[in-house]
Amino acid sequence: MAARFNPLEADARWQKLWEERGTFHASGDGARPRAYILEMFPYPSGRIHIGHVRNYTMGDVLARYKRMDGFDVLHPMGWDAFGMPAENAAMEKKVHPGDWTRSNIDTMRAQLKLIGLAIDWSREFATCEPDYYGHEQALFLDLYEAGLVYRKQSEVNWDPVDMTVLANEQVIDGRGWRSGAQVERRKLSQWFLRITAFADELLDGLGELDQWPDKVRLMQENWIGKSQGLRFRFDLASEGKESPSTGSGRTEGGSGVGGEALDAEAVRPRTGSGAVEALPSSFEVFTTRPDTIFGASFAAISPDHPIALALAEGNAPLADFIAECKQGGTTAAELETAEKKGFDTGIRVVHPLDSEWTLPLYVANFVLMDYGTGAIFGCPAHDQRDLDFARKYGLPVTRVVAPSPEEAAEPIGDEAYSGPGRLVNSRFLDGLTAEDAIRDVIARAEAEGWGEGTIVWRLRDWGVSRQRYWGTPIPIIHCEACGPVPVPRDQLPVVLPEDIDFETPGNPLDRHPTWSKVDCPDCGAQARRETDTLDTFVDSSWYFIRFASQPDDSPFDRAEAESWLPVDQYIGGVEHAILHLLYARFWTRALKRIGRLDVDEPFSGLFTQGMVTHVTFQDPEGRWLTPEEAEAHPGPVTRGRVEKMSKSKRNTVDPEPIVDQYGADAVRWFMLSDSPPERDLEWSEAGIQGSWRFVQRIWRLAAEEAGRGSSTWLGDGEDLALDRKVHRTIAAVGANIEALAFNKAVANLYELTNALEKAAPSPSRSRAVEILIRLAAPMVPHLAEEAWAALGREGLIADAEWPAADPALLVEEEVTIAVQVNGKLRDTLTAPKGAAKELLEEMALASDKVARILDGKPPRKVIVVPDRLVNLVA
RNA sequence: GCGGACGUGGCGGAACCGGUAGACGCCGGAGACUUAAAAUCUCCUGCCCCUCGGGGCGUGCGGGUUCGAGUCCCGCCGUCCGCACCA
C-alpha cells in the first residue's frame, strides 16, 4: 500500500474507467428520479481558466452527490462556439474562425477531462455546427410564423473603417475599440424577437423562482421595468389661445387669465418653408403621476421626437440645440453632472383639464425618445429633474401634494417632494390621497377621451441581427417581389460558407461571390439571402433543451425534453444575470406559446458563483508583473489589490500545470474550500498546498485501514462518540452540498478527519473511514476511487450509495449548558439532554464560580433555556 | 441619484429561530522526528491586564429593545455590485 496518493498516476486511470463504463451517462430509463444539473457552457476562447474550474467543480460535486443519492443525473457539457473572438482571431492570425474554434474546443475538452468531471460526454455539441444551428434556424422560423419575429429599422453603432457594426461595449469614448474611428449611428433594417409580448409573464414568473438569488430576480425586475400610469394627449394650442403665466408662480385656479399677450411672431419658429403646417395637432405623453397634473408647468419632448425634428427644419437654433444634445458622453459621471437643458419652441400646449390653460413646449435634453412616448409633462414640485429645469428657465413651481395639511402652503425648495400625501392646489382633486387622485384622473381621462391608463415597459424587443460571419445564418431570403421569405424547411440548415475572406473589412457573407445569391422560394426570381447572423445569445437560449433531447430530425423531442426540464440547478457567473437568463426564459415561454414545449421556466434553481481572484504586482513604473516576475524582479515591487484574474493585470493562473503538479482532487478541494461559493475565492499557493495535504491525510487514513486487512480487525469495541460524530457529519455534509454550501461541507469533512486521526482503532473507526471516503467522493473522486479499491470494496465508489445518517445517533445524550450571570458567561456544565429546568437551575447555583459572583445573594430571576443555558439575574 | 448586498481575529470564513462568538482552513509560534533539510506529527495562537486562580474588552461607529444582541429596531460611516436623465 503506497504511503502517498499519487494523482499523476491515478487520475487518468479512473477517468479512463469512468469513460469506458459510461458511468456518467444519463439513462432516462425512468427507474430513478431525475436531476438535471447544468453549468453555463463555456465559450471556447482557447484554454480553460481557473474560473471555469471553480464553476464546473461546483456543479460536479452536486451531480456526483445526486448520483450517489439515487438520482438519474443529467450533467452535460457543450460549447457556446459562435462569436466575435473567432473573427478577431481570423483577422489577426489568419486562421479560419471555424478552425480556431474547433481547435480551442479540443484543447479545452481535454483540459476539462483532466479535472475528472462527471459529465455525460455523449451529449456534447458545439453551437457552431450545422447540426445545432440548423435546428435553431427551424425554431427561428417557427417563431417567425407565429408572429414573434419581425423586421424594423433600427440604429446601430457603425464603424466606418472596419465597416462593421459594433456592440455598445465595443464603443469606447465614441470610437471603435479596434479601429479608433469615430463611430456613426446608422439605421439598418434588422430582425427583432417580440420579447415585450412576454414582459408581463417574464415579470410574474420571477415570483415563482424561489430558488433564484433575490439579487438576480431584482435585476431582472428592474430590467423589465414595469411602470403603470397615464398616457394622455396634449393638443397644440391654436394661435390666439396663448396663455402666459411665466415666472409668476401659478396657484390654484390660475387659468391663464390676464398677463401680457405674447407676440406670437417673436416666438413662433421661423418656418419659412411651411414646416409648421406639417406638425401634428397633438402628441402623447406618459406619466406615472397623473395626480400631479395640476402642478404641470411645462411640456417637453425628446430631441429625437418627430415634432422636434419637424420644427428643426428651417429653425437653425433648434437644429443646433438638437445636435448639441446628441453629443456629450453617456457615461454615468457625465449624466450625473449633465445640466438639464431645454429649447423653448414657442409653441404652447393645452392643459387637458383646463382648455384655458396652456403650457410652454420645450425640447429637453433629458427626455428619452425610446421610453414611454418620448414626451413628458413637467411637474417641478414633485420631480427633481423637472424642478432643476424649472428653476433654470424660471417656470412656475406649484406644490400639489402635501404630506400634511400644515405643509400645504410650504414652498418647494431645492428638493422636489416625491413622498406620499394628499392633494392641494388641485381643484377637484384637493384632499384626495395621491393614489386616489391617480385613479380619479385616469378614470376622468378615459371618460373624456383624452387619455388612458396604461403600462409602460423598460424592456425592449430583442434585436437579434448581427452583421457578422461567425454566427447562425438567419434563414430568410429577400425577394424584390415577395419581400422576406422563410427558407423552406427542407433546405435547412442554411450552412455558413467555408471559403471566406477576412482580408477586406466588413461582413464576409455580404462579399461572398455566390452564397447570398439564391432563387426566391416563392416566385423563383433571383433573390438574395439574408446575410445577417443571429446574436449568439440565441444559441444559448435553448441549448439546455438540446442537451436533454437531441434527435437528428428536429430540435428536440418534446416528451423527452419535458422529462428532464426544467434544469434543477443551473450554475454560472452573475454577469449573465440579465441578458442570457432573460432570453432563455423568454425562449422557453415562446416555445410554450407556440405549443412546442410545456415548460414555463427553464431553470428552477439558479446559483451565481463568485470569481477567482489573485494578488497583483506592479513595478515602480506601474507595469503589471506576474507573481513569478515579481519574485524575480530586481527592483522594488508593489503588492497590489487582490483582483479578478485578467490578462491585462497579469495575475491569471493556468489550471493545467497546477493539476499536473497536485492532481485534480487537490485543485477541486481548493475550489470548494474556505470561501462561500457565491463570493470571490482568492487563489493562493498556500491554499492549494493545504488542499494537497488534506488529500494525503485522507489517503493515509484509508491506507492504514486497508493495511489492517479489510475489516477483520477487532478493536476495543464500539466507539459511540465517534459514531455520533460520523452520523452528524453524514447529515451535515449532505445538507450542505444540497445547499451548495461547499465551504461548510469541506469544514465538516475536516472535522471528521481530525476526529478520526485522534480516535483509537475500533470497528467504529474502521466503518467511519469508509464513510469518510464516501462523503468525500463527490469532491475528491479520484482519491475516493483509489481508496475504495484499496479497502477492497466492490465496484466504483461513483456507483456507491450515499451513506444514510442514523437518526438515533444524531441525538446527543449529554449537552453542555452555559451558565450566565446577568447575561455574562461564567461557567459551563454538562447535563443529560432534556434535563428538567429545576435540575439545571440547581446545578447552576451549585457552581463555585457562580457562587463567588453572586456573593451569597440569591438571584432575582432565573432564566433557563433547556439544553442551552441558565441565566441568573442578580 | 435609485436599487441591492455586505462589514466578525493577521487572513478566508463559521455561528440553527435572539442563547457558550471565532467551528474549519491559511498564516504564525513552540516542540517531536532527522546528521540536516523537506515531509509528517503534537501543542499554542482574538486583544489587553494578571498575584497564573483569574479579570477586563471585543462582531464598522452611536443609540435602543431584551434576562441575554454578530443576529432585531433607529441613526451614521465604509466597501462592493447592479441600473442609470425611465417621466
Side-chain angles (χ1 to χ4, degrees):
Chain A
M1 177 95 303
R4 272 204 181 193
F5 172 63
N6 178 8
L8 282 75
E9 181 271 327
D11 285 3
R13 184 155 38 78
W14 293 110
Q15 286 162 17
K16 185 158 168 276
L17 201 62
W18 294 328
E19 185 146 348
E20 282 168 4
R21 298 200 184 173
T23 301
F24 302 117
H25 285 205
S27 87
D29 60 11
R32 288 165 292 160
R34 298 181 190 211
Y36 187 176
I37 312 295
L38 183 66
E39 300 93 56
M40 291 179 185
F41 67 163
Y43 177 78
S45 55
R47 295 178 67 76
I48 292 294
H49 58 72
I50 204 88
H52 290 124
V53 176
R54 191 179 191 205
N55 190 188
Y56 299 133
T57 300
M58 289 180 190
D60 202 56
V61 171
L62 187 63
R64 285 176 177 270
Y65 164 77
K66 282 287 186 189
R67 247 185 75 76
M68 290 178 78
D69 203 29
F71 286 81
D72 188 3
V73 171
L74 173 56
H75 185 221
M77 180 61 70
W79 309 94
D80 188 14
F82 273 137
M84 267 191 339
E87 292 192 38
N88 296 338
M91 286 183 270
E92 278 160 23
K93 301 179 184 144
K94 314 281 182 225
V95 291
H96 189 280
D99 294 341
W100 183 83
T101 302
R102 291 180 190 109
S103 118
N104 287 347
I105 288 174
D106 289 341
T107 305
M108 291 171 76
R109 181 195 304 108
Q111 289 189 300
L112 285 182
K113 289 192 174 183
L114 290 178
I115 56 176
L117 299 176
I119 280 175
D120 182 350
W121 286 103
S122 72
R123 295 173 188 249
E124 177 194 5
F125 60 76
T127 58
C128 65
E129 305 302 346
D131 58 9
Y132 181 80
Y133 70 70
H135 296 302
E136 183 167 306
Q137 291 167 336
L139 291 174
F140 179 88
L141 293 179
D142 290 342
L143 298 184
Y144 179 79
E145 280 152 19
L148 295 174
V149 178
Y150 67 98
R151 194 166 160 79
K152 75 169 182 195
Q153 289 275 315
S154 177
E155 278 197 348
V156 294
N157 302 307
W158 179 261
D159 184 322
V161 171
D162 279 354
M163 293 190 17
T164 186
V165 169
L166 299 177
N168 285 334
E169 303 76 55
Q170 297 169 326
V171 181
I172 297 152
D173 292 332
R175 294 178 177 276
W177 66 305
R178 176 182 295 279
S179 70
Q182 190 82 38
V183 169
E184 299 168 5
R185 308 286 295 169
R186 271 211 186 176
K187 284 222 165 188
L188 290 182
S189 194
Q190 310 209 67
W191 292 100
F192 284 82
L193 297 187
R194 223 177 272 286
I195 190 171
T196 54
F198 296 79
D200 246 324
E201 36 178 310
L202 288 171
L203 184 64
D204 291 347
L206 290 173
E208 277 130 59
L209 295 174
D210 56 356
Q211 291 174 71
W212 279 40
D214 291 342
K215 176 192 167 88
V216 174
R217 289 195 291 177
L218 190 70
M219 282 165 73
Q220 293 217 350
E221 190 181 317
N222 292 338
W223 188 263
I224 295 168
K226 181 179 187 173
S227 292
Q228 293 200 10
L230 171 70
R231 194 175 63 219
F232 71 89
R233 199 181 66 233
F234 266 131
D235 291 325
L236 303 192
S238 53
E239 284 181 63
K241 237 192 176 179
E242 313 290 351
S243 170
S245 58
T246 328
S248 57
R250 173 180 301 280
T251 52
E252 189 189 3
S255 57
V257 189
E260 79 252 67
L262 281 188
D263 179 358
E265 278 307 304
V267 295
R268 197 88 205 162
R270 262 162 255 149
T271 62
S273 62
V276 168
E277 273 66 45
L279 284 181
S281 62
S282 68
F283 64 93
E284 288 198 310
V285 299
F286 172 72
T287 177
T288 55
R289 294 294 303 274
D291 54 319
T292 64
I293 195 157
F294 287 112
S297 71
F298 65 96
I301 57 176
S302 163
D304 297 313
H305 196 281
I307 291 180
L309 297 176
L311 288 172
E313 282 187 43
N315 183 338
L318 177 55
D320 289 347
F321 176 76
I322 291 174
E324 191 191 322
C325 290
K326 292 200 178 186
Q327 289 169 5
T330 51
T331 63
E334 284 168 312
L335 285 177
E336 186 55 38
T337 53
E339 206 182 347
K340 307 282 174 277
K341 283 190 208 161
F343 185 97
D344 188 348
T345 62
I347 295 175
R348 299 192 71 88
V349 300
V350 182
H351 193 283
L353 285 166
D354 181 348
S355 60
E356 297 299 312
W357 180 3
T358 69
L359 305 166
L361 175 64
Y362 283 81
V363 175
N365 65 345
F366 64 94
V367 182
L368 305 175
M369 190 58 220
D370 58 359
Y371 183 78
T373 61
I376 61 162
F377 86 81
C379 177
H382 306 289
D383 182 288
Q384 192 59 46
R385 286 160 315 174
D386 294 352
L387 183 62
D388 295 345
F389 191 83
R391 293 287 187 230
K392 180 171 166 107
Y393 293 102
L395 297 164
V397 178
T398 310
R399 176 192 284 280
V400 289
V401 178
S404 67
E406 298 77 52
E407 286 157 282
E410 195 77 6
I412 300 289
D414 291 332
E415 277 184 35
Y417 178 72
S418 56
R422 289 182 184 270
L423 275 284
V424 293
N425 298 329
S426 294
R427 308 186 194 181
F428 53 82
L429 296 175
D430 282 351
L432 293 180
T433 63
E435 301 79 59
D436 288 341
I438 288 172
R439 270 190 289 277
D440 188 301
V441 173
I442 291 175
R444 197 173 290 258
E446 289 176 349
E448 294 171 3
W450 50 269
E452 59 178 354
T454 188
I455 293 167
V456 161
W457 304 89
R458 207 193 84 106
L459 184 68
R460 299 291 130 71
D461 274 337
W462 175 16
V464 293
S465 292
R466 296 290 181 274
Q467 293 69 36
R468 301 271 169 204
Y469 165 73
W470 195 234
T472 300
I474 295 176
I476 295 284
I477 290 166
H478 297 283
C479 170
E480 294 257 338
C482 313
V485 180
V487 172
R489 304 286 176 146
D490 59 6
Q491 290 174 28
L492 294 182
V494 176
V495 177
L496 283 173
E498 287 288 317
D499 52 328
I500 44 146
D501 158 33
F502 275 100
E503 293 300 311
T504 21
N507 179 354
L509 291 179
D510 254 346
R511 292 191 315 268
H512 193 277
T514 55
W515 187 76
S516 66
K517 290 175 186 150
V518 284
D519 293 339
C520 171
D522 282 0
C523 71
Q526 202 184 57
R528 192 173 167 283
R529 237 184 235 301
E530 171 69 63
T531 56
D532 283 355
T533 51
L534 288 172
D535 181 1
T536 56
F537 276 120
V538 176
D539 308 335
S540 53
S541 288
W542 72 285
Y543 77 104
F544 47 89
I545 308 175
R546 182 75 185 168
F547 274 146
S549 167
Q550 38 191 263
D552 291 335
D553 56 352
S554 73
F556 52 86
D557 173 78
R558 176 173 176 160
E560 197 185 3
E562 284 170 2
S563 76
W564 287 108
L565 289 166
V567 173
D568 295 284
Q569 187 63 58
Y570 196 34
I571 306 177
V574 73
E575 66 273 17
H576 292 114
I578 299 176
L579 294 184
H580 161 59
L581 290 166
L582 191 64
Y583 292 150
R585 294 181 61 221
F586 154 68
W587 196 272
T588 304
R589 282 174 185 273
L591 291 179
K592 176 168 180 160
R593 189 173 293 187
I594 66 176
R596 293 293 303 268
L597 187 67
D598 189 21
V599 174
D600 290 312
E601 288 289 342
F603 315 115
S604 54
L606 173 71
F607 187 82
T608 56
Q609 99 273 11
M611 295 178 302
V612 182
T613 60
H614 198 199
V615 285
T616 54
F617 294 98
Q618 278 176 292
D619 70 9
E621 283 80 52
R623 280 188 294 263
W624 299 98
L625 303 173
T626 65
E628 296 72 38
E629 286 169 346
E631 198 162 324
H633 197 74
V637 164
T638 323
R639 189 190 177 92
R641 291 180 6 136
V642 173
E643 295 197 63
K644 176 184 179 174
M645 287 191 189
S646 75
K647 283 185 183 144
S648 62
K649 301 227 167 103
R650 312 205 64 194
N651 64 339
T652 55
V653 171
D654 185 349
E656 194 171 330
I658 295 163
V659 173
D660 284 348
Q661 188 181 350
Y662 295 99
D665 290 337
V667 173
R668 293 168 62 108
W669 185 258
F670 179 67
M671 291 291 112
L672 302 165
S673 303
D674 291 350
S675 285
E678 68 277 10
R679 284 198 220 165
D680 290 351
L681 170 71
E682 185 185 343
W683 175 268
S684 75
E685 195 61 30
I688 184 70
Q689 281 170 10
S691 297
W692 165 258
R693 278 198 296 273
F694 181 70
V695 167
Q696 296 301 343
R697 280 172 69 193
I698 296 194
W699 177 249
R700 272 195 302 277
L701 282 171
E704 176 199 21
E705 202 53 52
R708 281 189 228 287
S710 71
S711 27
T712 55
W713 194 91
L714 291 173
D716 312 326
E718 303 292 319
D719 183 339
L720 193 57
L722 186 62
D723 287 344
R724 291 185 193 285
K725 180 80 191 164
V726 166
H727 284 263
R728 275 204 310 275
T729 305
I730 293 171
V733 171
N736 282 327
I737 291 178
E738 299 241 16
L740 306 174
F742 303 112
N743 58 321
K744 295 186 209 169
V746 161
N748 299 145
L749 291 174
Y750 268 118
E751 280 193 62
L752 180 58
T753 305
N754 290 343
L756 283 173
E757 284 173 346
K758 288 195 175 75
S762 70
S764 286
R765 186 174 182 276
S766 299
R767 284 195 305 271
V769 168
E770 192 209 290
I771 288 172
L772 169 68
I773 289 160
R774 278 196 279 169
L775 296 180
M779 305 183 185
V780 286
H782 311 85
L783 165 75
E785 293 288 6
E786 195 80 354
W788 190 251
L791 289 173
R793 295 297 183 271
E794 290 293 313
L796 293 172
I797 199 168
D799 293 323
E801 264 185 46
W802 188 255
D806 179 352
L809 289 170
L810 295 177
V811 183
E812 287 293 338
E813 282 186 329
E814 288 190 327
V815 288
T816 308
I817 304 291
V819 181
Q820 299 178 335
V821 178
N822 293 333
K824 248 184 196 320
L825 182 72
R826 294 300 175 180
D827 201 0
T828 58
L829 48 89
T830 305
K833 171 134 181 123
K837 284 191 171 193
E838 293 72 24
L839 176 61
L840 292 175
E841 180 175 341
E842 198 181 310
M843 289 171 80
L845 286 168
S847 157
D848 291 347
K849 292 171 183 170
V850 167
R852 204 164 51 236
I853 305 249
L854 287 179
D855 201 20
K857 284 167 250 162
R860 285 193 292 121
K861 191 176 174 186
V862 179
I863 284 137
V864 181
V865 182
D867 295 336
R868 284 232 173 244
L869 62 74
V870 179
N871 188 14
L872 306 165
V873 185

